[in-house]
């Protein structure tokens, strides 16, 4: 069973599920061990479960296999776990913007399993759906297909990819209720929803925590059945991975050009 909420007695003395924990350390208690596989949601620095990543770093657990679209940046997000040498292997799509990642990989200290971005997303979705493997045209004839089964369908070649399933998934949601029903915003929907379904236990950090019934059922992205534990993180720093802006024109230059940029 993926969800493993604590059990508590309500005012009437009956047992009920308690999914909300007071802090990240408590939410991860009893779940972490050396050598485990962890899925970490987010895209770049958007929608990453940063509070839970900090708690994993503080725990000292090591030899981790991390499934994530990227490895954060130096000193931020999953980059923190790289700094403390807690990661043995990354299963990722994009690993730029992180000098420590590059240093460890080029030095033979870190194993990497690269995936095309869509293939990575589908491997995770398949794992959550109980699909052990699937065939895709992406990567056929490239290094991506080396060592993998290639089969022909309707005259076209396809490479077999395995589904991914983790011991633990950590995700970030914009809104959630105390039963674990989650809503993600914008780019945070790229990997968080499928990861929430593809692990033995999923722990979610939620910006806006509400009571059951306060979220329109049609707006729910992840049903609470997939979520085992929740922490409330109402205030958090939202970083921009790369800020790119155009140079502003001086007022005189703008006036001379009729205000056109």
């Amino acid at each position: 069973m993926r969800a493993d909420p604590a059990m508590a007695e309500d005012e009437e003395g009956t047992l009920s599920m308690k999914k909300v924990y007071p802090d990240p350390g408590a939410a991860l208690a009893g779940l972490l061990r050396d050598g485990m596989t962890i899925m970490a949601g987010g895209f770049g620095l958007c929608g990453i479960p940063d509070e839970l990543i900090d708690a994993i770093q503080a725990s000292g657990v090591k030899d981790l296999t991390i499934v994530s679209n990227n490895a954060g940046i130096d000193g931020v997000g999953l980059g923190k776990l790289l700094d403390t040498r807690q990661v043995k292997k990354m299963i990722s799509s994009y690993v730029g913007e992180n000098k420590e990642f590059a240093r460890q990989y080029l030095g033979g200290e870190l194993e990497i399993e690269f995936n095309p971005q869509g293939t990575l997303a589908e491997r995770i979705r398949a794992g959550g759906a109980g699909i052990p493997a699937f065939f895709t045209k992406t990567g056929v004839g490239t290094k991506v297909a080396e060592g993998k089964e290639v089969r022909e369908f309707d005259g076209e070649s396809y490479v077999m990819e395995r589904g991914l399933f983790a011991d633990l998934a950590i995700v970030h949601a914009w809104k959630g209720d105390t039963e674990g029903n989650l809503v993600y915003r914008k780019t945070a929907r790229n990997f968080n929803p499928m990861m929430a379904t593809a692990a033995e236990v999923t722990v979610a950090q939620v910006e806006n925590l509400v009571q059951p019934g306060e979220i329109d059922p049609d707006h729910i992205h992840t049903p609470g059945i997939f979520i085992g534990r929740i922490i409330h993180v109402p205030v958090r720093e939202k970083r921009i991975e790369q800020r790119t802006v155009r140079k502003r024109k001086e007022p005189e230059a703008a006036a001379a050009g009729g205000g056109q940029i």
Side-chain angles (χ1 to χ4, degrees), residues 124-204:
I124 298 166
R125 190 202 68 81
I131 299 170
F134 60 92
F135 285 88
T136 175
K137 292 181 70 174
T138 303
V140 171
T142 72
K143 287 185 176 294
V144 170
E146 289 182 0
K148 300 175 183 176
E149 179 182 350
V150 176
R151 189 180 298 184
E152 187 174 296
F153 295 91
D154 301 322
E156 299 283 347
S157 294
Y158 293 77
V159 61
M160 189 180 79
E161 297 283 358
R162 296 295 306 271
L164 289 170
F165 196 81
D167 300 304
L168 170 69
I170 52 174
V171 300
H172 175 90
W174 169 66
K175 181 184 286 188
D177 64 27
T178 56
E179 294 297 324
N181 298 299
L182 304 180
V183 180
Y184 311 96
R185 289 192 76 233
K186 301 180 180 181
T187 309
R189 290 183 66 181
N190 283 2
F191 281 91
N192 279 300
M194 62 277 280
M195 286 186 174
T197 71
E200 291 291 343
V201 180
T202 298
V203 181

Side-chain angles (χ1 to χ4, degrees), residues 21-216:
Y21 286 70
D23 56 67
L28 293 173
L31 300 180
L32 301 176
R33 67 178 187 276
D34 293 346
M36 71 185 305
T37 297
I38 300 176
M39 287 190 181
F43 192 81
L45 299 182
C46 176
I48 63 172
D50 46 359
E51 297 281 346
L52 293 167
I53 292 171
D54 288 349
I56 291 172
Q57 182 187 38
S59 76
V61 67
K62 61 184 184 300
D63 295 328
L64 302 174
T65 294
I66 303 291
V67 181
S68 176
N69 177 64
N70 59 88
I73 62 175
D74 292 291
V76 181
L78 292 172
K80 293 183 177 181
L81 299 183
L82 291 170
D83 288 342
T84 49
R85 307 293 195 279
Q86 291 171 262
V87 181
K88 177 184 69 175
K89 177 181 180 179
M90 289 290 306
I91 302 177
S92 302
S93 176
Y94 176 71
V95 293
E97 322 302 335
N98 193 317
K99 293 179 181 178
E100 180 58 25
F101 185 106
R103 192 200 68 74
Q104 290 186 29
Y105 173 60
L106 295 175
E109 303 172 26
L110 179 67
E111 183 180 350
I112 301 175
E113 184 178 327
F114 279 124
N115 295 253
Q117 199 164 83
T119 298
L120 178 62
E122 183 63 9
R123 290 183 71 190
I124 298 166
R125 190 202 68 81
I131 299 170
F134 60 92
F135 285 88
T136 175
K137 292 181 70 174
T138 303
V140 171
T142 72
K143 287 185 176 294
V144 170
E146 289 182 0
K148 300 175 183 176
E149 179 182 350
V150 176
R151 189 180 298 184
E152 187 174 296
F153 295 91
D154 301 322
E156 299 283 347
S157 294
Y158 293 77
V159 61
M160 189 180 79
E161 297 283 358
R162 296 295 306 271
L164 289 170
F165 196 81
D167 300 304
L168 170 69
I170 52 174
V171 300
H172 175 90
W174 169 66
K175 181 184 286 188
D177 64 27
T178 56
E179 294 297 324
N181 298 299
L182 304 180
V183 180
Y184 311 96
R185 289 192 76 233
K186 301 180 180 181
T187 309
R189 290 183 66 181
N190 283 2
F191 281 91
N192 279 300
M194 62 277 280
M195 286 186 174
T197 71
E200 291 291 343
V201 180
T202 298
V203 181
Q205 63 174 58
V206 176
E207 291 184 47
N208 301 285
L209 187 62
V210 299
Q211 293 301 310
E214 292 187 44
I215 301 176
D216 185 329

